[in-house]
Amino acid sequence: MSEPVNRARRALNETPADLLVNGVNDVLDEAYQITDAELFQVDYRLSELLPLTQGEAITGPGHPAWRSFDHQSPILADGVGWFPVSMRGERRGVLRLAPVPDDPALLGDLAEIATALAHELNAVAAGTDVYRTAGRSQRLTLAAEMQWDLLPGRSRIRPSFSLAGQLEPAYTVRGDSFDWSDDGDRLWLSTINGTGEGVAASLLTSLATHALRNARRAGLGLADQAALADQAIFDLYRGKQHLSALLMELDLRSGVMTVVDAGSPRLVLLRGGEVTEQPLEAQFPLGMFEATDYQDQRFTLERDDRLFVVSDGVVDATGRNVRYGETALDRFVRRTGPMEPLDAVRSLIGDLRAFVAGDLVDDAVVVCLDWTGPQH
């Protein structure tokens, strides 16, 4: 690692949380004669790159900024460099720098600085609203604010898997959600198909998510996690409110997937170019009855399998009085084969928006998981 990169890292650590980009300006100017730096963050809909302080939003898919974001690599165009601001697979946006000469070693240094910026943005996120405020093109509803704060991120990469998820309509989502965690041996993934309207739907989903996390962190098995969340919801709502969930646990060494289907969203498998809906044993939604006894089931993933989890807001989306449906979903999932999970999720959501000619009316959640092989 070069000395200017080390200096940039130290500057990021020492700079006030709201001034991170400014914190590396002096290093960039002194070491590389770069005088213009701006952070562009991807918005909640994954459709715009929004400047932190100055400039116009970038929406055109052919723009160098989007090429850098999509391909996760530095792009140099007319003396302006665009660098992905990402960490552990989580894509925050891109860093624009100028002037930047065409020097591979320099581009490598600047890419490392952009990655360091991503890590620091993640570290300060809980203590300042500057970056969250700049990363939205319109106001979120209160329910949507609650839902987005629940999420672990939008994408995650490890040697054995890649993972991404998205909520729609992004700025007004109510009850649909997802959650994940991994410990090097296992990956846990839950997808919730919420019910209700507004803040009431968000509160129900928040209760379920925290109950599942509490059970998972206590070391309980998947069926017991479902039972604890089921009881927490029933104790509060007495069966008047309930929600559907799909709970998954992937063994990262063997590829064995354990699943609890609590009235769940659909689980679609893409294997060798063929799309099938994974058969699951349907059980009662969480909170419908008191003390439901949940059972898990297992199946084994093969290397390079792709799983899509979608809520009913996807297949039931309606445009011109026509339902999107399972056939269109299967056809689109097949086309996503070469894409990274976040690109596949973004493309599916884009296809849905085009189908309904605007934002979705009903909540929809899409999660994509790639199993790339055993982790050693």
Side-chain angles (χ1 to χ4, degrees), residues 69-361:
F69 183 87
D70 291 338
H71 299 294
Q72 288 296 283
S73 62
I75 298 294
L76 189 60
D78 299 323
V80 178
W82 302 89
F83 301 86
V85 179
S86 307
M87 46 86 66
R88 302 184 186 277
E90 178 70 15
R91 304 187 199 178
R92 301 294 299 260
V94 293
L95 181 64
R96 184 194 69 199
L97 301 175
V100 177
D102 189 0
D103 178 347
L106 171 59
L107 294 180
D109 280 0
L110 297 178
E112 287 191 50
I113 292 172
T115 299
L117 173 61
H119 281 274
E120 201 63 29
L121 285 169
N122 186 65
V124 304
T128 179
D129 289 335
V130 167
Y131 305 103
R132 292 183 183 179
T133 301
R136 54 188 69 179
S137 59
Q138 57 185 279
R139 183 176 177 179
L140 270 70
T141 63
L142 175 56
E145 190 84 55
M146 295 167 65
Q147 290 299 85
W148 283 103
D149 276 354
L150 272 181
L151 299 185
R154 275 197 289 208
S155 52
R156 181 89 167 94
I157 295 176
R158 287 197 68 142
S160 56
F161 71 85
S162 297
L163 181 62
Q166 175 67 3
L167 305 180
E168 286 292 326
Y171 288 90
T172 58
V173 66
R174 300 175 292 273
D176 285 11
S177 189
F178 57 85
D179 191 30
W180 60 59
S181 177
D182 67 88
D183 66 359
D185 295 319
R186 292 166 295 177
L187 165 68
W188 293 270
L189 170 63
S190 61
T191 308
I192 291 175
N193 188 2
T195 59
E197 297 293 331
V199 173
S202 292
L203 288 171
L204 178 59
T205 297
S206 179
L207 174 60
T209 300
H210 284 99
L212 289 169
R213 287 174 177 171
N214 178 253
R216 183 184 74 223
R217 292 164 182 169
L220 301 184
L222 211 60
D224 289 335
Q225 292 176 31
L228 188 148
D230 171 70
Q231 194 62 48
I233 295 170
F234 186 85
D235 286 347
L236 185 61
Y237 294 100
R238 312 307 298 178
K240 295 179 181 178
Q241 294 287 334
H242 51 80
L243 49 73
S244 300
L246 180 65
L247 312 184
M248 306 163 67
E249 180 184 309
L250 175 62
D251 187 307
L252 298 179
R253 289 186 170 86
S254 66
V256 172
M257 179 72 81
T258 304
V259 179
V260 172
D261 176 359
S264 77
R266 287 174 168 81
L267 180 60
V268 178
L269 171 66
L270 175 62
R271 173 179 291 169
E274 295 299 319
V275 178
T276 57
E277 185 164 340
Q278 184 68 30
L280 299 174
E281 179 186 347
Q283 300 174 72
F284 291 124
L286 301 177
M288 180 173 281
F289 301 107
E290 186 172 16
T292 301
D293 183 20
Y294 290 95
Q295 303 295 322
D296 58 39
Q297 63 184 102
R298 291 175 173 80
F299 58 91
T300 301
L301 295 180
E302 297 180 5
R303 188 184 296 272
D304 298 325
D305 276 355
R306 166 166 287 179
L307 291 173
F308 264 94
V309 187
V310 299
S311 65
D312 56 14
V314 174
V315 293
D316 291 340
T318 302
R320 295 182 294 276
N321 297 319
V322 178
R323 181 171 169 268
Y324 190 75
E326 290 83 357
T327 301
L329 174 63
D330 291 354
R331 183 173 60 249
F332 197 88
V333 166
R334 190 177 297 110
R335 285 164 46 193
T336 69
M339 303 178 187
E340 293 295 322
L342 184 63
D343 300 322
V345 166
R346 184 154 61 103
S347 295
L348 176 54
I349 293 296
D351 193 58
L352 283 170
R353 291 197 198 110
F355 180 78
V356 303
D359 280 337
L360 303 186
V361 176

